[in-house]
Amino acid sequence: MALPDFVKIVEVGPRDGLQNEKAAVSTEQKVRLIDMLSETGLKVIESGAFVSPKWVPQMADSAEVMARIGRKPDISYPVLAPNLKGLEGALAAQAEEIAIFGAASESFSKRNINKSIAESLDAFRPVAEKALAEGLRVRGYISCVLGCPYEGRIDPTVVAEVSRELKSMGCYEISLGDTIGTGTPEEARRMIAAVAEYVPIEEIGVHFHDTYGQALANLYACLEMGVAVADASVAGLGGCPYAKGATGNVATEDVLYMLQGCGIGTGVDLTKVMAAGRFISDVIGRPPVSRVHRALMAKDAA
Ligand SMILES: CC(C)(COP(=O)([O-])OP(=O)([O-])OC[C@H]1O[C@@H](n2cnc3c(N)ncnc32)[C@H](O)[C@@H]1OP(=O)([O-])[O-])[C@@H](O)C(=O)NCCC(=O)NCCSC(=O)C[C@@](C)(O)CC(=O)[O-]
């Protein structure tokens, strides 16, 4: 299949990237990061999570973040909402989009949201129903689609079944997360083929973590299958609190560079994303993980 002409980038740095960050990042700094990302051409910037502050303290200020960012009308600023309490928070914060987040691994599901897969789906259904009734868009995530830190390899048919359930709840897009980054391109292809039995390819997004350096190869394999939605994290921020050793999402800068090189449009300005990446990297006191970011910085300095 031909590569898509255009790929939608879903920027997840301010949520997935910062939820596991040990350095203190103030509300003001989060707001500044999101506002900088809003100037880059990105159309989706995941901006927070209405989850238990005991489980993920880094996201405890999501209401304040949502209140203070300078929202642009053509940009979506989704937030995670795992249950009705989370949805209440999202509605109070005037979010226009939420994400519910399940898993294809029983053990991960238990550790991440304290529910089995079946229990989580039962819990998500009323959340999605109410969100849709309130006029919000609902995105569905599935973690551990190619591997689980507790169970190892994951059967693609389980990913497909969870996808089917999330779609039946009205999720407009299903984002498939290789949470621990162990997947390789042929496995990614098999998994996408299984999910595509139930979810149209245009409604599938991919969410690769780069822990094993496979993220761009996996993304490319999925693009070849017609996937045109890629989650990425500015500067390669991130990890997952319930997957020890998991590194960040594939860096937005690296994805943009690859897509540009392939002649695929994104509408996103790499230089402006790099500026946002430099800002947040200075805040957390670490250089960007993005190889493209570091290479372009070195070239500029030379
Ligand atoms: C789902 C729960 C809440 C269940 O946690 P629980 O302990 O089973 O929930 P509960 O209903 O028994 O409530 C316990 C306490 O939490 C409170 N609570 C309950 N719900 C909320 C809420 N929404 N917001 C704020 N507070 C909440 C509730 O009020 C109560 O407070 P207490 O009475 O003890 O003071 C918990 O497990 C949780 O918050 N988990 C969050 C996990 C998380 O955010 N993980 C990271 C995101 S997923 C991810 O990163 C993967 C992804 C999406 O990026 C894709 C990939 O890469 O794989």
Side-chain angles (χ1 to χ4, degrees):
M1 196 177 198
L3 293 170
D5 295 332
F6 187 89
V7 166
K8 178 177 82 174
I9 308 286
V10 176
E11 172 59 51
V12 295
R15 192 281 302 172
D16 204 353
L18 295 184
Q19 73 182 9
N20 198 37
E21 183 49 56
K22 288 185 182 61
V25 181
S26 70
T27 305
E28 196 181 333
Q29 289 161 334
K30 291 178 186 176
V31 169
R32 174 95 181 108
L33 171 64
I34 295 167
D35 285 348
M36 288 182 84
L37 291 168
S38 290
E39 298 298 328
T40 61
L42 284 160
K43 294 291 176 237
V44 189
I45 305 171
E46 200 172 65
S47 298
F50 288 88
V51 299
S52 163
K54 287 184 193 143
W55 286 62
V56 184
Q58 291 90 336
M59 291 290 111
D61 60 350
S62 289
E64 212 183 328
V65 170
M66 289 295 281
R68 287 171 54 183
I69 54 176
R71 293 191 213 184
K72 294 193 173 238
D74 59 338
I75 300 180
S76 181
Y77 300 91
V79 293
L80 299 192
N83 52 20
L84 287 166
K85 188 173 169 86
L87 176 59
E88 270 169 37
L91 286 168
Q94 295 179 328
E96 290 170 345
E97 178 174 339
I98 60 156
I100 49 181
F101 49 103
S105 146
E106 289 290 355
S107 316
F108 185 86
S109 184
K110 267 277 177 203
R111 282 176 169 86
N112 194 36
I113 52 173
N114 205 20
K115 288 183 176 57
S116 68
I117 296 175
E119 287 166 348
S120 75
L121 295 171
D122 286 347
F124 294 150
R125 205 166 278 283
V127 177
E129 215 167 89
K130 180 151 199 263
L132 292 169
E134 296 279 352
L136 274 66
R137 282 157 45 99
V138 182
R139 191 174 199 238
Y141 274 111
I142 306 177
S143 287
C144 297
V145 299
L146 295 174
C148 166
Y150 315 105
E151 294 181 13
R153 293 283 152 206
I154 293 292
D155 181 351
T157 58
V158 179
V159 185
E161 281 157 17
V162 178
S163 302
R164 184 190 58 205
E165 292 303 309
L166 292 177
K167 178 164 172 58
S168 77
M169 292 176 204
C171 291
Y172 75 94
E173 194 167 273
I174 312 292
S175 171
L176 301 166
D178 183 13
T179 314
I180 53 170
T182 51
T184 51
E186 287 308 316
E187 292 168 327
R189 275 188 219 280
R190 281 196 289 277
M191 183 273 296
I192 296 288
V195 173
E197 295 281 323
Y198 301 112
V199 182
I201 201 84
E202 317 80 67
E203 296 176 23
I204 296 176
V206 287
H207 180 106
F208 288 114
H209 285 257
D210 204 23
T211 318
Y212 287 74
Q214 302 297 302
L216 282 181
N218 289 342
L219 171 59
Y220 192 85
C222 296
L223 297 179
E224 285 186 319
M225 295 185 75
V227 170
V229 181
D231 296 4
S233 180
V234 60
L237 291 173
C240 175
Y242 302 101
K244 283 218 174 333
T247 60
N249 293 93
V250 64
T252 310
E253 296 92 317
D254 296 358
V255 172
L256 289 174
Y257 183 86
M258 181 181 85
L259 295 176
Q260 277 173 19
C262 295
I264 298 173
T266 61
V268 184
D269 184 323
L270 172 56
T271 310
K272 290 182 179 170
V273 171
M274 282 180 60
R278 261 195 312 283
F279 165 73
I280 193 64
S281 298
D282 287 348
V283 167
I284 63 177
R286 281 197 309 277
V289 175
S290 164
R291 300 276 289 269
V292 166
H293 191 127
R294 283 191 269 147
L296 291 176
M297 289 278 287
K299 192 170 154 222
D300 277 356

